Amino acid sequence: MPGAILERHGDVAVITIDNPPVNAMSVGVPSAILARLAEAQLDAAIKAVVVRGGGGGTIAGADIRMFGKPWPADEPTLRDVIAAFETSPKPVVAALRGSCLGGGLELAMSAHYRVAGADASVGQPEVKLGFPPGAGGTQRLPRLAGVDAALPMIVEGNPIGAARALEFGVVDRVVDGDPLAGALAFARERVAAGGPHPRARDKAAKVNDPKIFEATRAAVARRARGLRAPLACIECVAAAVNLPFDDGVKRERAIFEACMASPESAALRHVFFAERAIGKVPGVAKDTTKKTIAKGGVVGSGTMGTGIAMNFANAGIPVKLFDADAVALKRCMATIEKNYAGSVARGSLAKDKADKAFALIQPVSDLATFADVDMVIEAVFEEMPIKLEVFRALDKACKPGAILASNTSYLNIDTIADAVPARHGDVLGTHFFSPANVMRLLEVVRTKSVSAETLMTVLDLGRRMRKVPVVAGACHGFIGNRMLEGYFREAVFLLEEGASPTQVDKAITDFGFPMGPFTVGDLAGLDISWRKRKAGEAGRDKTKRYSPLGDRLCERGRFGQKTGAGYYRYEAGSRAPIPDPEVDDLIVAVAKEQGIARRSIGDEEIVQRCLHPLVNEGARILDDGIALRAGDIDIVWLNGYAFPAWRGGPMHWADTVGLSGIVVTIERFGRDHDFWEPARLLVRLAREGRHFADLDKEDAHA
Ligand code: 3HC
C-alpha cells in the first residue's frame, strides 16, 4: 500500500515516501505525507522536517498511470502536499537521491531547502509526456534557477546532475553519499539561524537574455514540428515572468490540463509504457540468470560490422573484429577512427572516451582468436550459404556456451541455428539498423530453440549498447522491414495513379515523418532494393500488380543521392531533393504502359494508402506471434523508421483512428487494388469494438 513513514531523528522528523519502485505520487501517497506532516507539526519537540524518497530515493513525480482517470475525491493531491510544505511553520528540507523528476522536483521546490547527494539528478521531464509541469514547476524553477537555466530544462525535459543543480540554485548543498545525514545537519543549521525560511514563490524569475523566449520558440518550431507541449512550456515559463505567482500557477494548471487531454499526450504516455514493456518476455522471468559478456567478437568489416564493433566498444566491452581480407580490415579500422574523431569534433564524445573505446577494438585475421569471446555477432553478406559457412567456422572456433548471433535483415534464423545443432540454445538474430553505431533500434530475433538465458543476455547487452532492443520472431523482414514493404509499394503505386514524388513525400511529412518515402529511398540507395527485386523475380506472384518504376530509374543509373539522381535530382554536394521533369515523364510513361488512368489524388488517400498497410501487416505480425505486443511494433517504428512519437506509433495511431474505420477503408481499397485484404486480427478487433491496446493490457495482466 503506497504511503509515507515518519521517523524522529532527535528534533528533526524525517518523512520517507514509501511507494516502490520509484515513489510516484499514487493514490494514498499525498494523504500519507499530509498525515505524517501533521504529526510532525503537532509534536513540539520537532523543530524541522526532512522529506525524502524511500528505497533508492527516486521521486518520479505524479503517477502517470492515473492520467486520464478520475482522481478519488477523498484523496488529497500533490498540489495539496506542496501547499502544506510551503506554508509549514517548521522548515522543510528535501533530501534528494537518485532521480527527482516532475512532481518530485515540484515537491522538493516547495520545501524551504534542498540537499542533494552527489549522484542525484533533478528535472522536469513532463514535456516528454506531452504536457508542461502541472504543480507549479514552471513557476518555481525559473524563480530558483533563473529563466535562462530553467527554460531549456522545462522545454527539453532533460534532467541535470547535482553539481549543475547547485550552480543553478535549484539545490542549496551537495553532499557525498546518502543525503539524509547532510539534510539533518542542514535542517539543524537553519533552525539555529532562525527564520523566516525562504520560499521559491517569493523570489522573482530573472531573465538575463531578453531574446530567450523568442529564440526558444524559433528553435522549437524547427526541432519539434507539430508538437504542442514544448510551446506550452514556453507559455508557462513566460507566465512566471509576467504574472504574480498565484496567477502563474493558475495559468500553468489550465495549460497543463488542456495538454493532458490532447492526443499528443495520450500517444507519448503510450510510448512511455511501451518502452518499459519491451524488456518483458512472457514466460521468461525478469530475473533469469544472464551470461556474462566480457569479450565480444564481430565477423565482417563492412558497414554493419564496423558499426557493431563500435557498439561493443561504446559499451566498454573489448571486441575482436575479424575479416580474412587484410585490406578491408585496415580500411574498416580507419573508418572507425574517423567516426570517433568526428564525434569528438562535434563535441558529442570526449577525446579520452573516444580513445578508450577505439583501443577496445582489436582487428584480427584469424578466427581461432575467438576462442575466448563470450558472444559473436556475424555481419557478413546477406546470403544464406555465406552465413552458414561462417556459423560452421564459429562452431569450431568458439568456446561452448558462447552466444552466436547473426546480423540479418531478412534471412531465416532457424536455418542458421540448424547449422550448429550442438549450440541451438545459444543462437539468435540481432538486426541492427544502419548506421549500426547510431540507430537505436535493435530487433532481437528468437529462434525456435534459443534459451531464455541467451535471449535475456542479448536484451541486456542491447541496453548496455544504449539500443532499444525489441524481441521479434523469425520471419521474412521480422517486424519493421516486413511492414515496410507495403508502405513503399503503395507509395510507388500512387505515383503511377497520379501523384508526384513531392506530393507523396509532403503528405507523409505533414503527417509527422521527418522524410517521405521517396526522399528516404534516394538517401538509402535505390539499387539495394533493385538487387533484391531481381533476386526474387522468379518467385514473384505475377498475377498481382507490379510497378516497374523503381527498376526503370535504376536502369538509367538513378540510384538516389549517391548518383545525384533518383526519384529527385540533386545538385553536386547538396542533399536537397529537386523535382525532376525526367522522372515525371517516366512516371507518365510507366502508367500508360500499365494501362493506368492517372487522376488527382488527395493527401488523405496518400496517408491511408501508405499507413494502412503498416497497420494491417502489424496486425498479422501480432497474430503470428512475431511481435509480443502492439506496443513493441510501435517502438520498432518510432526508433527504426522515424514514425512521429507524438502519434504513438502505427498501432496506437490505428487505435486513435478507430479499427473499424480502418477495416472499412482497407475493404474499399481492396475493391480496386491488389494486396488489400484486411488482417484477421484487425477484423476481429474491429467487430468486437476493441483496440490493439486492449490486447497489450490483457497480456500485461496474464
Ligand atoms: N508513474 C507511474 N509509474 C512510473 C513512473 C511514474 N511517474 N515512473 C516510473 N514508473 C514505473 C515504470 O513504468 C516501471 O514500471 P514497470 O516496472 O511496471 O515497468 C517502473 O516504475 C520502473 O521504471 P523504469 O523502468 O523507468 O526505472 P528506471 O530506474 O530505469 O528509471 C525513472 C526511473 C528515471 C524515474 C524513470 O522511470 C522515469 O523517467 N520516470 C518518469 C518520470 C517522469 O516523467 N515524471 C513526471 C511525471 S508527470 C508529473 O509529475 C506531472 C506533474 O508535473 C504534476
Side-chain angles (χ1 to χ4, degrees):
M1 176 70 187
I5 297 155
L6 185 136
E7 288 163 320
R8 288 173 174 75
H9 288 245
D11 56 356
V12 182
V14 176
I15 298 175
T16 303
I17 302 168
D18 179 26
N19 188 20
V22 292
N23 299 308
M25 295 286 148
S26 312
V27 174
V29 173
S31 51
I33 299 176
L34 286 177
R36 303 296 89 81
L37 183 63
E39 274 176 53
Q41 304 291 14
L42 285 175
D43 187 338
I46 295 296
K47 302 287 181 255
V49 177
V50 166
V51 60
R52 63 171 182 163
T58 283
I59 313 177
D63 185 338
I64 303 168
R65 289 166 307 183
M66 284 302 290
F67 292 148
K69 295 186 189 143
W71 188 258
D74 56 352
E75 174 71 25
T77 66
L78 169 62
R79 284 168 297 143
D80 295 322
V81 178
I82 284 173
F85 279 160
E86 198 163 57
T87 53
S88 164
K90 298 179 183 178
V92 181
V93 181
L96 310 181
R97 204 176 155 202
S99 307
C100 183
L101 300 175
L105 178 57
E106 290 173 306
L107 185 77
M109 289 191 296
S110 71
H112 301 97
Y113 307 101
R114 286 148 296 279
V115 172
D119 74 333
S121 62
V122 300
Q124 298 284 182
E126 287 89 338
V127 68
K128 297 187 179 183
L129 298 168
F131 48 81
T138 64
Q139 307 304 297
R140 287 189 181 86
L141 191 58
R143 283 176 162 83
L144 287 175
V147 169
D148 302 63
L151 190 62
M153 279 180 73
I154 294 170
V155 171
E156 288 159 29
N158 298 324
I160 57 169
R164 221 61 216 294
L166 182 66
E167 187 192 313
F168 288 170
V170 182
V171 301
D172 301 283
R173 185 174 286 173
V174 175
V175 295
D176 284 330
D178 188 339
L180 178 61
L184 288 170
F186 194 89
R188 291 191 180 110
E189 280 171 36
R190 299 327 302 170
V191 168
H197 300 286
R199 304 184 307 172
R201 62 177 289 141
D202 299 329
K203 295 177 192 275
K206 290 204 194 92
V207 185
N208 284 334
D209 174 3
K211 293 223 173 83
I212 189 161
F213 286 109
E214 201 185 307
T216 309
R217 249 180 232 114
V220 163
R222 274 196 311 274
R223 211 191 47 239
R225 209 167 37 91
L227 286 183
R228 160 95 178 98
L231 293 171
C233 289
I234 301 174
E235 224 178 312
C236 291
V237 177
V241 178
N242 301 325
L243 298 179
F245 180 82
D246 288 325
D247 292 349
V249 165
K250 272 193 210 129
R251 178 110 192 85
E252 175 202 82
R253 189 70 194 176
I255 297 173
F256 165 85
E257 280 173 2
C259 287
M260 173 69 69
S262 68
E264 171 184 323
S265 175
L268 292 171
R269 281 180 275 140
H270 160 74
V271 172
F272 177 86
F273 289 113
E275 276 171 350
R276 278 151 186 84
I278 53 172
K280 295 169 191 159
V281 183
V284 178
K286 217 178 165 186
D287 55 358
T288 298
T289 325
K290 295 177 191 87
K291 299 185 181 190
T292 304
I293 306 292
K295 289 181 186 171
V298 174
V299 179
S301 66
T303 316
M304 293 313 285
T306 305
I308 296 169
M310 288 178 74
N311 287 333
F312 272 112
N314 294 344
I317 303 170
V319 57
K320 289 175 183 162
L321 175 55
F322 168 85
D323 204 307
D325 180 343
V327 178
L329 199 54
K330 205 168 161 205
R331 199 174 41 228
C332 166
M333 290 306 288
T335 305
I336 294 176
E337 198 169 10
K338 205 172 103 213
N339 286 349
Y340 279 125
S343 302
V344 173
R346 280 193 305 277
S348 57
L349 191 65
K351 171 95 174 67
D352 60 329
K353 285 200 175 134
D355 290 346
K356 220 164 143 188
F358 184 63
L360 290 174
I361 305 174
Q362 183 193 348
V364 297
S365 52
D366 183 358
L367 260 197
T369 57
F370 275 29
D372 64 348
V373 301
D374 304 302
M375 172 167 180
V376 182
I377 301 180
E378 154 288 299
V380 298
F381 278 121
E382 188 76 340
E383 280 177 27
M384 189 56 99
I386 304 179
K387 300 248 184 215
L388 294 180
E389 199 181 308
V390 169
F391 264 75
R392 287 189 197 107
L394 287 173
D395 192 18
K396 289 202 188 91
C398 295
K399 66 185 178 188
I403 295 176
L404 305 186
S406 173
N407 181 64
T408 171
S409 326
Y410 286 96
L411 296 179
N412 187 335
I413 189 75
D414 281 312
T415 311
I416 296 174
D418 286 343
V420 286
R423 295 178 181 266
H424 250 170
D426 307 327
V427 177
L428 44 53
T430 48
H431 178 207
F432 286 87
F433 286 66
S434 186
N437 54 314
V438 177
M439 293 291 287
R440 295 198 67 212
L441 179 62
L442 169 63
E443 286 179 325
V444 177
V445 190
R446 285 166 115 165
T447 58
K448 287 194 195 89
S449 49
V450 68
S451 71
E453 193 185 7
T454 297
L455 184 66
M456 295 313 263
T457 304
V458 175
L459 288 177
D460 197 47
L461 176 72
R463 285 187 288 270
R464 282 171 74 192
M465 291 175 167
R466 306 185 77 82
K467 301 291 169 197
V468 179
V470 179
V471 176
C475 71
H476 183 78
F478 314 128
I479 298 174
N481 283 350
R482 176 167 157 183
M483 289 164 73
L484 196 62
E485 284 182 359
Y487 174 78
F488 277 122
R489 182 192 63 228
E490 291 302 316
V492 175
F493 284 173
L494 283 163
L495 298 187
E496 291 182 337
E497 289 167 41
S500 68
T502 312
Q503 193 198 351
V504 173
D505 278 355
K506 183 166 181 313
I508 296 300
T509 52
D510 285 350
F511 178 84
F513 280 89
M515 282 185 235
F518 299 113
T519 313
V520 168
D522 277 1
L523 180 67
L526 304 178
D527 51 323
I528 301 169
S529 47
W530 185 38
R531 225 178 298 130
K532 222 178 278 156
R533 283 196 300 276
K534 282 195 283 190
E537 178 57 18
R540 178 168 68 81
D541 180 353
K542 307 281 190 314
T543 64
K544 290 224 166 110
R545 179 175 169 187
Y546 176 80
S547 171
L549 190 57
D551 303 341
R552 296 286 161 79
L553 287 170
C554 289
E555 282 156 15
R556 293 177 183 208
R558 301 185 68 116
F559 292 172
Q561 278 190 22
K562 58 184 161 190
T563 56
Y567 282 99
Y568 298 95
R569 67 180 183 84
Y570 300 85
E571 299 286 3
S574 164
R575 289 170 175 270
I578 304 167
D580 190 342
E582 186 186 325
V583 176
D584 296 340
D585 291 347
L586 183 65
I587 293 170
V588 171
V590 166
K592 198 165 167 206
E593 193 186 292
Q594 306 281 101
I596 296 167
R598 284 169 55 82
R599 64 192 164 93
S600 145
I601 299 176
D603 288 356
E604 190 189 0
E605 178 178 343
I606 293 175
V607 169
Q608 291 175 336
R609 290 276 297 277
C610 291
L611 297 198
H612 285 16
L614 295 184
V615 176
N616 208 25
E617 199 58 37
R620 289 196 187 105
I621 281 171
L622 263 183
D623 213 9
D624 295 349
I626 297 298
L628 296 174
R629 286 163 287 257
D632 286 20
I633 298 177
D634 288 335
I635 294 300
V636 164
W637 271 77
L638 259 48
N639 291 283
Y641 303 85
F643 198 99
W646 56 275
R647 298 269 196 190
M651 310 312 272
H652 175 84
W653 174 74
D655 277 351
T656 63
V657 171
L659 300 189
S660 53
I662 290 194
V663 170
V664 168
T665 308
I666 289 177
E667 284 171 343
R668 177 160 54 81
F669 289 149
R671 287 197 280 275
D672 302 323
H673 304 280
D674 288 339
F675 302 104
W676 288 92
E677 199 184 319
R680 204 175 48 183
L681 177 66
L682 188 59
V683 172
R684 174 162 70 77
L685 289 175
R687 200 177 45 232
E688 293 167 357
R690 293 164 76 217
H691 298 100
F692 290 119
D694 297 323
L695 295 177
D696 286 3
K697 274 184 214 138
E698 282 166 17
D699 280 355
H701 296 134

